[in-house]
Amino acid sequence: MLEQGTISIHTENIFPIIKKSLYSDHQIFLRELVSNAVDAIQKLKMVSRAGEYAGNVDEPEIQIAIAKDQKTLSITDNGIGMTAEEVKKYITQVAFSSAEEFIQKYQGKADQPIIGHFGLGFYSSFMVAQKVEIDTLSYKEGAQAVHWTCDGSPEFTLEDSSRTTVGTTITLTLLPEEEEYLEPSRVKNLVKTYCDFMPVPIKLEGEVINQQKAAWRESANNLTPEDYLEFYRYLYPFQEEPLLWVHLNTDYPFIINGILYFPKMRPDVDVTKGQIKLFCNQVFVSDNCEEIIPQFLTPMRGVIDSTDIPLNVSRSALQGDRTVRKIGDYIAKKVGDRLKELYRDNREQYISAWKDLGTFVKFGVLNDEKFKKQVEDIIVFRSTAKLEEQAAATPAVEVQSQEGDVWQDVKPAATSGTPYTTLKEYLERNKERHENRVLYSTDEASQATYIELHKNQGLEVLFMDSFIDTHFINFLEREYNDVKFTRVDSDLDNTLLEQDKAGEIVDPTTNKTKSEIIKELFEKSLNKPKVNIRTEALKSDDPQGTPPAIVLLPEILRRLREMNAMMQQQNAEFPEDHILLVNTAHPLIQNLVNLNQGTIIQSDTQSPTNPLVNLICQHVYDLALMSQKGFDADGMKSFVERSNEVLTKLTQQANS
């Protein structure tokens, strides 16, 4: 026996701390031991380049072996190995990181960075093992192999070994409650999770079980579009192809590599939960990058790898500091730069991706002043205008490389024809018709009648119908404080109305105009004092194609109602106070007036048409309400009943 001694520690009861407090998850012991093995292999390559080792370094590998009968799990590398003195220095002195000292000596000679920085990674093995053994032989000429043993107490033994190959084997005799790590499937899963992209083959039972190639560490020039897609499919199987992606690679003012993807937005995607994987020197650290990625880019996917991101000692959490904020700003800027370039150089592709990108961009504008300034001029809206045909593009790759921030686009565009416009373009195009006024729709289906009225008179409507647009309209009004935003169902532009009422004929029987008769008729039939009846003739070449009546909700009152509902976390109820605009030019309304005149003539007795007139007025009002989704359950029940009654009376009258 060479020596028997006591592990040098600076804190009493270090092993209970390691086992219970230092690491939040026991399974990361394998990540730490494999990381150490990769480090040992990289160190051997570095001393070989320095001319200090003449042996073979061209076939690096890590072997994982399981002996179920002995309850042991071992990790073997053909790396640099250790002498007895190095074992005492780097193993028996807890928290002394050999990586730090080694980097200082061989700085500039590594093709891959050294992973270890904490010096405590090896001791994570005691979370799962009742005994840990190290069998190692240093690369140094004439070195004696040594065997180190510790049972989880401060006591260790160090003796000569018969090992003849350079490298190290760590053998864990597992605790009874940790024997799950004797299952090959469990070990494979852990390697795939934490060590899949380590640059050394990891073997289990003779089979290589890790990918090794980290796409984000490759030069952008060495990757094809299919490489990027394959990497995305590997990270996120069974998902739709991404819209586009960005390859980040910079070493100043911090080191960061990564590939970030813009995914297709799906209703079941939780936009508050990030799916970007954080790596440190190709070692998986966390699925949680919220502290690094700006909040509005949280739905992005992909990988970020940086040695400059400060982690706690167990690598389980980020340590928030100025560097993290700078990295977040850098990522946001690169995303903004790319979007601007795409808008400028390939607007068709930009438009095709906007349905999904728009949510990212608008949320970023609302929450990040720097990002807002970058992209405020490239925010687009779908429009009813017959603009020059625009195109939609299939997914493309956008790669930002270290060599001069060169970007590359691939895949041809396909024609779409859906018109999109910026707000500035809209205002310029419509300044003669309605200067500094924006007509918009929030629901194309329910507001179709109103949209069609505007289109028929040549008025352009913008669609602001994403879930974020309610807030975004308020932002736009602050940015464009001289511009008025009016939803298509809040009021009607004078362009939509016939303005000449001077020639309206007065009925000699009632001494009232037709508009006055219609207004009184609806007021009496509806008997809803809070409903303001307006009579107007909607302008149209085909009156039958216009609605007989529409409901209008004044912009300010509607917004107040929606705001109150949001603050009270309730659905906004349809207000009793609203406007019913009756279209006096519609044939149905004219027929209704004629039908009502028969009722007046026979006023001495109950006219058979009187109930029908009232029912039709109610029905016209119901149809107008439907476009505003103004029915509750009772209202819908009443509508169905009235509809049946109207049809019954009409068929009776036709048969009489």
Side-chain angles (χ1 to χ4, degrees), residues 605-633:
T605 60
Q606 176 65 39
S607 168
T609 61
N610 185 268
L612 180 59
V613 168
N614 290 333
L615 277 174
I616 292 176
C617 287
Q618 285 279 357
H619 197 69
V620 168
Y621 175 58
D622 287 343
L623 292 173
L625 276 180
M626 288 184 71
S627 66
Q628 284 282 8
K629 300 180 179 178
F631 282 147
D632 55 16

Side-chain angles (χ1 to χ4, degrees), residues 322-567:
R322 186 177 300 175
T323 301
V324 170
R325 291 193 296 273
K326 286 182 177 179
I327 290 175
D329 291 342
Y330 166 80
I331 293 170
K333 184 179 186 303
K334 288 302 178 184
V335 170
D337 287 344
R338 179 56 197 139
L339 294 174
K340 286 172 64 178
E341 185 175 1
L342 185 61
Y343 177 84
R344 183 187 67 239
D345 298 340
N346 193 341
R347 186 162 175 174
E348 293 176 349
Q349 182 183 333
Y350 181 85
I351 293 300
S352 72
W354 180 257
K355 183 177 179 181
D356 297 279
L357 290 179
T359 301
F360 291 97
V361 175
K362 290 175 184 175
F363 191 56
V365 167
L366 291 173
N367 291 275
D368 189 313
E369 182 67 22
K370 292 180 182 177
F371 186 76
K372 185 203 84 171
K373 291 180 179 178
Q374 277 188 284
V375 303
E376 58 187 349
D377 291 332
I378 63 170
I379 298 167
V380 295
F381 303 91
R382 191 162 56 92
S383 169
T384 59
K386 295 181 180 179
L387 306 178
E388 183 179 351
E389 187 176 86
Q390 301 173 22
T394 50
V397 58
E398 287 80 38
V399 177
Q400 178 257 317
S401 71
Q402 196 171 14
E403 296 78 29
D405 269 8
V406 177
W407 293 85
Q408 178 184 3
D409 296 336
V410 297
K411 290 198 177 183
T415 300
S416 156
T418 303
Y420 278 79
T421 182
T422 67
L423 190 56
K424 287 184 177 179
E425 291 169 342
Y426 174 92
L427 292 171
E428 178 63 26
R429 195 163 48 247
N430 293 284
K431 65 181 180 181
E432 292 185 3
R433 290 180 177 174
H434 46 80
E435 186 174 9
N436 287 342
R437 191 150 74 95
V438 176
L439 304 171
Y440 70 94
S441 166
T442 57
D443 189 328
E444 184 175 8
S446 68
Q447 296 164 8
T449 299
Y450 304 88
I451 295 169
E452 197 63 29
L453 285 173
H454 287 75
K455 285 174 59 179
N456 288 341
Q457 298 304 318
L459 296 178
E460 181 181 355
V461 177
L462 297 184
F463 293 98
M464 299 181 176
D465 49 7
S466 72
F467 70 91
I468 199 173
D469 278 336
T470 299
H471 306 287
F472 200 68
I473 290 169
N474 294 330
F475 160 79
L476 291 173
E477 288 179 326
R478 292 193 299 271
E479 292 295 305
Y480 298 84
N481 52 30
D482 58 338
V483 176
K484 180 181 180 182
F485 286 75
T486 305
R487 204 167 82 174
V488 289
D489 59 349
S490 65
D491 204 350
L492 295 184
D493 188 274
N494 288 335
T495 309
L496 306 178
L497 306 175
E498 293 287 359
Q499 299 300 316
D500 184 15
K501 296 185 179 181
E504 192 170 348
I505 300 173
V506 176
D507 187 320
T509 306
T510 61
N511 202 30
K512 296 176 182 177
T513 65
K514 183 171 68 174
S515 293
E516 292 171 335
I517 292 171
I518 293 171
K519 179 178 174 68
E520 290 182 2
L521 178 60
F522 273 85
E523 287 176 342
K524 180 179 178 182
S525 298
L526 300 184
N527 192 26
K528 292 182 179 293
K530 293 187 177 182
V531 176
N532 180 13
I533 309 296
R534 275 179 55 188
T535 52
E536 300 280 0
L538 297 181
K539 189 184 295 183
S540 175
D541 294 332
D542 177 22
Q544 181 65 47
T546 60
I550 55 177
V551 169
L552 301 176
L553 296 176
E555 186 83 12
I556 295 177
L557 295 179
R558 190 198 76 247
R559 291 198 198 183
L560 286 173
R561 175 175 60 93
E562 292 172 349
M563 185 185 303
N564 289 334
M566 182 179 64
M567 293 176 64

Side-chain angles (χ1 to χ4, degrees), residues 196-257:
D196 210 15
F197 300 103
M198 289 184 179
V200 175
I202 302 171
K203 296 181 179 179
L204 176 65
E205 300 173 349
E207 175 192 359
V208 177
I209 58 174
N210 66 321
Q211 288 275 319
Q212 301 172 60
K213 179 182 176 181
W216 66 89
R217 298 298 292 265
E218 297 285 327
S219 168
N221 296 328
N222 295 336
L223 297 174
T224 67
E226 187 59 27
D227 289 332
Y228 286 98
L229 288 171
E230 282 297 326
F231 184 53
Y232 184 82
R233 293 168 191 147
Y234 181 75
L235 293 176
Y236 310 102
F238 312 113
Q239 298 294 313
E240 292 183 79
E241 302 287 70
L243 297 167
L244 52 90
W245 50 89
V246 180
H247 193 147
L248 303 173
N249 183 355
T250 186
D251 56 10
Y252 182 81
F254 37 71
I255 297 172
I256 184 169
N257 297 278

